[in-house]
């Protein structure tokens, strides 16, 4: 039986999540509205998502 090293997970902590503008501004602000979000991780990388 061979010895296997445990797998290292590549996880990065999300430090900041900022809610930005509406994806479709012509729609009213409702619970179902979709927004853009800006995320910043532990390495200082910035992401934009919906």
């Amino acid at each position: 039986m061979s010895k296997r090293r445990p797998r290292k997970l590549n996880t990065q902590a999300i430090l900041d999540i900022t809610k930005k503008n509406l994806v479709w501004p012509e729609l009213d602000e409702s619970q179902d509205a979709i927004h853009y979000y800006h995320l910043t991780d532990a390495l200082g990388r910035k992401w934009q998502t919906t």
Side-chain angles (χ1 to χ4, degrees):
M1 188 181 256
S2 65
K3 291 185 178 182
R4 298 176 92 188
R5 295 189 333 201
R7 298 184 101 190
K8 293 183 180 181
L9 297 177
N10 187 11
T11 57
Q12 295 298 325
I14 301 297
L15 300 179
D16 184 44
I17 300 175
T18 306
K19 185 177 182 180
K20 293 293 185 176
N21 300 329
L22 285 169
V23 174
W24 295 287
E26 62 273 5
L27 299 177
D28 292 336
E29 178 91 22
S30 67
Q31 284 185 314
D32 297 335
I34 299 173
H35 289 81
Y36 288 108
Y37 289 88
H38 287 193
L39 302 124
T40 305
D41 67 8
L43 296 177
R45 297 179 294 191
K46 296 186 180 190
W47 308 84
Q48 178 179 321
T49 187
T50 53

